[in-house]
Amino acid sequence: MSADCPLQDTNPSGRTKTNFAPFDKGRRGRGGFRGVDRRNPLVQTKESPPPPLGDLIEAISQKSLDNSEGEDVYFGITESKLIASYNWADQKAPKIIIPGCPPLWKPLEHPQQLQGDSGVYYRDHNSAFFPKHPLEPAIVSVMRMHPNPLEIDIVGCNSTFGHLLRFVRGIECTFRMLVEVVGETVHLVRRENSPKEQLLGVKGFGHTFPDAYTIWAPDVQPSKSHHRILTYRFGGLSLLIRQSCDGYIEEKETKVLPATAPSKDQEDGIVGHFESLSINSSSVRLTDATPLEVVDGGQLTPQSTIFDLKTRSIRSIDQDTLGNELPRLWAMQIPKFILAHHKHGLFCNIEVSDIQEEVQNWEKSHQPDLNRLSALLCRIIATALEKKDTLLEIVRVQGGPLEIRQRLPDAGVAFSEQVKEQWLKWLDGGGEAHNDSDSESGSESGDFTGCNEECGYCGKCS
């Protein structure tokens, strides 16, 4: 072992620097850890043109979201709970493994110089692998793993939620997302210029490093990615958020979480339906009409073990990488962070941190931003429910306001008819359960301070 790369060195901050188990070149980690021809003709070299825009319905400025009446209210995430997860299988036809399992952190004992990233890397696996209905796999996994319905105000993902957070914080960014209403629940669906839009100009080791330092469990191989669905409350609203993660760290006391077993009727109505969609991937040609195959495999991994990972050059070791990532990690409720610094692909400085305290401190210090985020979510809900018979899209061009526009037909819809019908029944059951139950200490009545008497954003404060 190199003297410059100790096996374990805990610094005063409580973060652990690690370098671990010898790397077997025959072992396949995430994506297989194998070289890719840098002249790969499948690599996208320029950004796709943006789809055309529909008519403007409403423009929202950041300033219009300021709400002095909410200054005495604390805006934070509470009641966070993991309810479902799935893996995308590494095959041509769309297939998910439920509950799946993230790759295990399995570092190298002796660092080895890695090749730089050079493959095809999609911006959004869900739209790339299932472009017809990219939100559908998450909803399928929720209904299959959590048959007891919940009341949900907004469904989104770490991308859509993160974009809205960046907007209210005054960060310049361009994004689009589809808005779709099912029952009384508003869905925000990530939209790129093309479903198979790739990350352009990828450099560094952000993909080859996790390929070498993590490994998929045998019962979920081969997998491309792991996705998790959390519910939590924020600003008086119930959110369901899909996120991707880089992996998990095995802990001595880690226990596999039991998945809620569906009743026989629910098996027939939901699970049976998706089993009927299963396909023979070896004989099918992938098209937009290809159904989604759903199989069992893996285990529900506790959120307390999940980590996010970033790689950086050793030249940037003095930069506050974690500080820049905290808004995203707050929205995703990820408790661990791995920061790996390299010198020409040789990683000798790997820091594993428990970041829960840093995330909580970020939340406390950004209350004005989170106040505006709460108001924005309520305003989006109000417009979506008012225009529920009109397909909508949210558009923000760098430096401009957030625009709610009419969606053009080229965008498609969030769900197939079968899944939408099942999802509507699930959501309606959550509303009935909520209305029929007595709230505990008034907590279920919610804190709708993001609204005021004039706006009536969410309809719950009137």
Side-chain angles (χ1 to χ4, degrees):
M1 181 181 299
S2 169
D4 296 329
C5 299
L7 177 63
Q8 188 174 73
D9 177 20
T10 302
N11 62 27
S13 69
R15 297 170 181 168
T16 303
K17 296 181 180 179
T18 52
N19 292 290
F20 309 78
F23 179 54
D24 176 4
K25 291 186 178 180
R27 180 184 77 174
R28 290 193 55 159
R30 292 174 45 166
F33 183 57
R34 54 183 179 270
V36 181
D37 187 353
R38 291 183 179 276
R39 297 169 294 178
N40 188 340
L42 299 178
V43 173
Q44 186 176 335
T45 58
K46 61 181 180 179
E47 189 172 344
S48 304
L53 297 173
D55 294 338
L56 178 65
I57 293 176
E58 181 180 2
I60 303 173
S61 68
Q62 181 190 6
K63 186 176 181 180
S64 69
L65 300 171
D66 289 333
N67 177 20
S68 59
E69 295 180 4
E71 289 181 352
D72 296 331
V73 178
Y74 186 83
F75 292 87
I77 290 175
T78 62
E79 303 177 36
S80 178
K81 181 181 179 182
L82 173 69
I83 64 168
S85 60
Y86 63 95
N87 284 25
W88 273 109
D90 190 0
Q91 65 173 45
K92 290 185 177 180
K95 174 183 175 180
I96 60 173
I97 305 167
I98 298 177
C101 183
L104 173 66
W105 176 242
K106 196 77 172 178
L108 311 181
E109 181 178 350
H110 301 289
Q112 296 189 12
Q113 194 163 27
L114 306 181
Q115 294 181 353
D117 295 340
S118 60
V120 173
Y121 306 112
Y122 295 114
R123 288 187 177 274
D124 179 15
H125 280 183
N126 290 280
S127 63
F129 303 153
F130 201 53
K132 192 72 173 177
H133 308 293
L135 189 59
E136 195 156 292
I139 300 308
V140 168
S141 67
V142 169
M143 292 190 292
R144 184 157 184 163
M145 294 185 65
H146 201 282
N148 297 322
L150 301 170
E151 185 186 41
I152 304 294
D153 296 303
I154 292 185
V155 175
C157 66
N158 57 297
S159 174
T160 55
F161 196 53
H163 279 317
L164 298 180
L165 178 58
R166 280 185 281 275
F167 170 70
V168 300
R169 295 180 64 215
I171 296 176
E172 301 297 333
C173 55
T174 297
F175 59 84
R176 298 175 73 162
M177 62 185 78
L178 306 181
V179 181
E180 193 146 335
V181 178
V182 177
E184 298 297 313
T185 300
V186 176
H187 300 71
L188 305 178
V189 186
R190 177 176 179 169
R191 188 184 192 190
E192 302 293 343
N193 291 343
S194 163
K196 294 186 179 294
E197 195 76 11
Q198 297 177 24
L199 297 171
L200 301 183
V202 174
K203 298 178 181 179
F205 302 86
H207 296 86
T208 56
F209 177 82
D211 283 353
Y213 280 72
T214 65
I215 188 169
W216 295 104
D219 60 341
V220 297
Q221 286 189 1
S223 286
K224 294 180 179 179
S225 58
H226 176 74
H227 304 266
R228 306 168 71 77
I229 299 91
L230 274 66
T231 60
Y232 53 69
R233 294 190 66 81
F234 172 76
L237 301 172
S238 295
L239 280 68
L240 187 147
I241 302 294
R242 183 196 68 204
Q243 61 175 246
S244 57
C245 82
D246 290 317
Y248 78 103
I249 297 175
E250 192 172 41
E251 299 176 344
K252 292 181 179 180
E253 297 181 358
T254 297
K255 296 181 180 179
V256 178
L257 300 178
T260 305
S263 66
K264 186 179 185 304
D265 290 342
Q266 289 163 330
E267 279 280 351
D268 294 338
I270 298 176
V271 179
H273 168 71
F274 291 112
E275 286 178 346
S276 70
L277 294 180
S278 296
I279 53 178
N280 184 343
S281 60
S282 63
S283 62
V284 71
R285 182 174 65 88
L286 180 59
T287 68
D288 283 347
T290 301
L292 178 69
E293 182 180 359
V294 181
V295 300
D296 296 322
Q299 62 186 31
L300 191 61
T301 312
Q303 190 71 8
S304 61
T305 67
I306 299 300
F307 67 81
D308 188 79
L309 184 153
K310 292 297 175 187
T311 61
R312 295 290 186 268
S313 166
I314 196 69
R315 294 190 297 271
S316 65
I317 194 167
D318 293 328
Q319 296 180 6
D320 186 13
T321 301
L322 173 58
N324 294 330
E325 299 296 330
L326 282 175
R328 183 176 59 85
L329 298 171
W330 169 81
M332 297 171 69
Q333 295 290 284
I334 289 183
K336 300 182 187 299
F337 186 68
I338 297 177
L339 179 59
H341 288 95
H342 69 90
K343 184 176 182 180
H344 305 301
L346 186 65
F347 287 84
C348 285
N349 191 305
I350 303 173
E351 195 172 17
V352 180
S353 307
D354 185 313
I355 57 168
Q356 294 180 82
E357 183 176 351
E358 287 90 339
V359 169
Q360 291 172 0
N361 289 338
W362 183 91
E363 181 181 88
K364 293 176 183 177
S365 62
H366 287 78
Q367 285 299 294
D369 294 331
L370 300 183
N371 187 336
R372 286 190 290 271
L373 177 61
S374 174
L376 177 59
L377 293 175
C378 289
R379 193 159 173 179
I380 290 172
I381 290 175
T383 300
L385 294 180
E386 180 185 352
K387 305 283 186 181
K388 64 174 3 179
D389 295 328
T390 303
L391 294 178
L392 303 177
E393 180 178 16
I394 292 175
V395 180
R396 200 276 172 114
V397 178
Q398 187 169 354
L402 186 142
E403 299 176 343
I404 300 180
R405 290 180 172 270
Q406 186 170 348
R407 189 196 316 173
L408 296 180
D410 68 302
V413 293
F415 305 107
S416 62
E417 286 300 320
Q418 301 97 320
V419 173
K420 183 176 181 180
E421 180 181 353
Q422 294 288 348
W423 183 231
L424 179 59
K425 292 179 180 178
W426 191 95
L427 291 169
D428 283 349
E432 291 172 2
H434 176 76
N435 293 331
D436 292 343
S437 62
D438 294 328
S439 61
E440 297 181 7
S441 302
S443 61
E444 289 298 327
S445 63
D447 176 9
F448 305 113
T449 49
C451 296
N452 55 45
E453 294 180 356
E454 295 178 356
C455 74
Y457 285 156
C458 65
K460 297 180 178 180
C461 54
S462 57

